[in-house]
Amino acid sequence: MTNKIDKIAIAPNNTYPIYMAVANQFEALIKSNEYIYNERLPALRLLAEHLGVALDTVKKAYSELESRQLVYSRVGSGTYVKWRQSVNEESTLGETFIPPNSNTIDLSLNEQLLLEERGTELSNAMGRLAHQIQRLNLMTSYQAPEHIIQPQLDIIARFMNELGIPANTHDMLLTSGAQQGLHLILQYLLNTGDVIVTGQQAYPGVKQAAHLLGRTLTTVGQDADGLNIDDLETLLGQQTVSAVYITPEYDNPTTAVMSLPRRERLAELARKHNFLIIEDGALHMPANGLPSLYSLAPEHCIYLFSFSKILAGGLRLGTLLASGRNYRKMVVAQQSQYWMVSPFLSSLACDMILHGSAKRLLDKQIAELEHRFSLCQKILGGYTISGHAPGYHIWLALPEHISADRLASSLKNHHVEIAPAKAFCMDSTPPAHAIRISLAGSVNTEDFIRGLEIIRECLEDSGQDADWSII
């Protein structure tokens, strides 16, 4: 960086505006590959001091480079090279990739963590598969043979059991992620008009799927221990319920963990009233000592799991655990939509499990989530935070005088995205006075810290605006 910055200078006979002269020099360096794709340009203050010009001059130069489509900026991180050589017949897919808009610090989505190791681990796994020519032919056939599929189920089941999920290959189906599994359940185990119970705040995907398939959603209360089983029992005395959708481990969005007594009561009610428990384990983390609902009532529960956060969301790989009649129905349902999940993708996941990649990525992710949770406690410590490490998000209760909508709008103006409580509302009940902040997603640690600082600043600023409470 030091040598390159020396190549930027203001010539004595310069006739251009200074910002334009600086931009022209950077353009020449970028197009001669002195600065390569995704390389960071010198920090604004450093370059201003080097040239002996005002900071605004350098800012204007970088803005000019952005207008020329040569660079892009990342809030709180810096300015990076966007330009590449022209695409030709020898270009690879990677060389034609255009970086996404990085101006926003997106803390609204529970995506996989941005880990440099993920690309390396995936590359190594694909390299190992590339040398298995005969197996590749079988992995990519229309219907992979049993001796390819069954070992994959065995490997995945062992991995899930290590996480504390009681997986048995005889009760397991591979799915294209947890959402696809949810659709299979709602479409083939329930009928039009059947009632599905959720908490008043829940994962939006279940509401979308239920609406699309003509299923009826109704809600009961929830608290720090999860779904209110007393409310559910009262509801069961008033109407027929076909299913209860629940995330007992780390509720999305409230972060509640269902207590053991409530799990046992829910399992008992499912047997007594013959309804299905849909247990969403997509955000599952290593065992916390509490049994899954599936282990308590396997004949009345279906468990959904996903590898999206652990391995890669783009693999679109998950599992569905079901017993007896439910399992047989799910097999038929899956085959009516598509014959199988791509054996190549499941082979890739199994290779990563066998060679320790999945465990290494999970360990790295846990450490980063724990670190980010501690950052939330430090930066937002003056506010009420629900959650614990290593969860994927926190639930931030807002002071009464702060408007959630206006806070979200203010954060958006500062290029920070969060998920307001109303995004998780399952009925017309007023949303909780809170926001969800994701600890995961494609945001590096530096930007994550800056995002939290902006949230804190907006909260503090709102505290000085008495009119917020009436807007």
Side-chain angles (χ1 to χ4, degrees):
M1 183 72 74
T2 303
N3 292 334
K4 291 181 183 180
I5 200 171
D6 288 340
K7 296 182 179 182
I8 305 295
I10 307 300
N13 59 349
N14 171 61
T15 58
Y16 290 98
I18 293 177
Y19 82 90
M20 191 67 73
V22 172
N24 291 342
Q25 290 177 66
F26 269 115
E27 179 173 3
L29 291 173
I30 290 170
K31 291 189 174 179
S32 64
N33 284 324
E34 289 281 345
Y35 281 94
I36 62 174
Y37 171 72
N38 252 355
E39 183 175 353
R40 183 179 175 178
L41 268 57
L44 293 169
R45 195 170 301 280
L46 179 64
L47 183 59
E49 291 175 355
H50 168 72
L51 296 174
V53 299
L55 188 62
D56 283 346
T57 300
V58 176
K59 288 181 180 178
K60 198 170 181 181
Y62 280 11
S63 294
E64 174 65 23
L65 290 170
E66 279 199 76
S67 71
R68 299 181 191 182
Q69 299 294 304
L70 296 172
V71 301
Y72 67 95
S73 62
R74 296 173 60 183
V75 177
S77 179
T79 302
Y80 295 80
V81 176
K82 177 179 179 180
W83 186 85
R84 290 174 181 258
Q85 294 285 357
S86 298
V87 177
N88 55 50
E89 64 276 7
E90 296 181 354
S91 295
T92 66
L93 181 62
E95 289 171 337
T96 63
F97 172 73
I98 302 299
N101 184 346
S102 301
N103 290 327
T104 296
I105 301 175
D106 194 343
L107 304 180
S108 67
L109 299 177
N110 273 347
E111 298 178 314
Q112 65 191 41
L113 270 170
L114 184 65
L115 300 178
E116 293 182 4
E117 295 86 349
R118 179 171 281 109
T120 300
E121 297 285 11
L122 282 166
S123 176
N124 291 339
M126 288 188 284
R128 288 188 292 267
L129 291 179
H131 290 92
Q132 302 176 39
I133 306 301
Q134 292 182 337
R135 287 183 65 83
L136 278 173
N137 283 329
L138 294 174
M139 291 175 202
T140 53
S141 61
Y142 183 66
Q143 295 182 34
E146 184 68 16
H147 70 273
I148 289 290
I149 298 299
Q150 187 58 47
Q152 293 182 0
L153 294 178
D154 293 337
I155 292 167
I156 291 172
R158 287 198 300 272
F159 181 74
M160 291 176 66
N161 275 279
E162 290 172 1
L163 297 181
I165 304 167
N168 185 315
T169 58
H170 301 298
D171 299 334
M172 178 190 295
L173 283 178
L174 297 182
T175 64
S176 297
Q179 183 69 21
Q180 194 264 340
L182 177 61
H183 266 265
L184 284 178
I185 295 168
L186 298 190
Q187 185 170 1
Y188 292 96
L189 292 186
L190 303 180
N191 300 307
T192 301
D194 277 0
V195 174
I196 305 167
V197 175
T198 72
Q200 292 170 338
Q201 307 268 168
Y203 165 58
V206 70
K207 183 177 182 179
Q208 296 164 357
H211 177 74
L212 178 67
L213 297 170
R215 309 317 183 227
T216 301
L217 276 183
T218 191
T219 67
V220 295
Q222 56 199 136
D223 56 28
D225 283 339
L227 204 69
N228 189 312
I229 304 302
D230 289 336
D231 286 357
L232 175 61
E233 191 164 18
T234 299
L235 180 66
L236 290 167
Q238 300 170 347
Q239 65 180 108
T240 300
V241 169
S242 297
V244 172
Y245 169 86
I246 189 167
T247 306
E249 294 303 329
Y250 197 90
D251 182 61
N252 183 15
T254 69
T255 76
V257 176
M258 178 170 272
S259 64
L260 178 58
R262 289 199 187 186
R263 292 175 194 236
E264 292 173 337
R265 281 190 63 197
L266 180 57
E268 180 183 347
L269 288 173
R271 287 188 288 266
K272 179 179 178 180
H273 294 272
N274 195 32
F275 61 78
L276 179 69
I277 300 172
I278 304 170
E279 183 174 11
D280 191 337
L283 300 184
H284 179 87
M285 296 301 287
N288 57 11
L290 292 168
S292 67
L293 292 163
Y294 181 74
S295 66
L296 294 175
E299 294 294 330
H300 292 273
C301 183
I302 294 183
Y303 187 95
L304 298 173
F305 179 73
S306 172
F307 283 96
S308 292
K309 310 297 186 297
I310 299 172
L311 298 182
L315 286 181
R316 304 311 306 141
L317 182 65
T319 62
L320 180 153
L321 302 179
S323 297
R325 184 166 173 263
N326 288 333
Y327 173 78
R328 293 189 292 274
K329 282 191 172 184
M330 287 295 91
V331 171
V332 174
Q334 187 180 52
Q335 292 179 357
S336 72
Q337 287 194 356
Y338 62 96
W339 190 254
M340 62 187 178
V341 171
S342 166
F344 177 79
L345 296 181
S346 53
S347 295
L348 184 60
C350 288
D351 180 275
M352 296 179 74
I353 292 172
L354 286 174
H355 288 85
S357 299
K359 180 64 164 57
R360 287 190 292 272
L361 287 173
L362 180 57
D363 288 346
K364 176 71 175 178
Q365 179 165 283
I366 289 173
E368 181 62 21
L369 288 172
E370 289 175 340
H371 176 55
R372 293 190 178 196
F373 183 74
S374 68
L375 289 171
C376 288
Q377 291 179 308
K378 178 180 178 181
I379 297 173
L380 301 174
Y383 299 91
T384 303
I385 296 173
S386 298
H388 55 81
Y392 289 96
H393 58 269
I394 63 167
W395 189 235
L396 177 67
L398 300 177
E400 287 301 319
H401 67 278
I402 294 179
S403 160
D405 286 342
R406 184 161 177 181
L407 175 63
S409 177
S410 178
L411 290 171
K412 187 183 286 288
N413 290 337
H414 288 82
H415 306 289
V416 174
E417 295 279 356
I418 50 84
K422 68 179 182 181
F424 305 94
C425 281
M426 295 293 108
D427 59 16
S428 58
T429 304
H433 199 55
I435 61 173
R436 192 194 73 177
I437 300 172
S438 174
L439 310 187
S442 54
V443 176
N444 63 34
T445 306
E446 184 180 356
D447 286 351
F448 180 75
I449 293 171
R450 181 58 188 146
L452 292 182
E453 290 173 342
I454 292 172
I455 292 172
R456 183 189 62 199
E457 290 165 6
C458 287
L459 287 168
E460 290 173 348
D461 288 347
S462 68
Q464 301 172 12
D465 186 353
D467 290 335
W468 272 42
S469 60
I470 60 173
I471 291 178

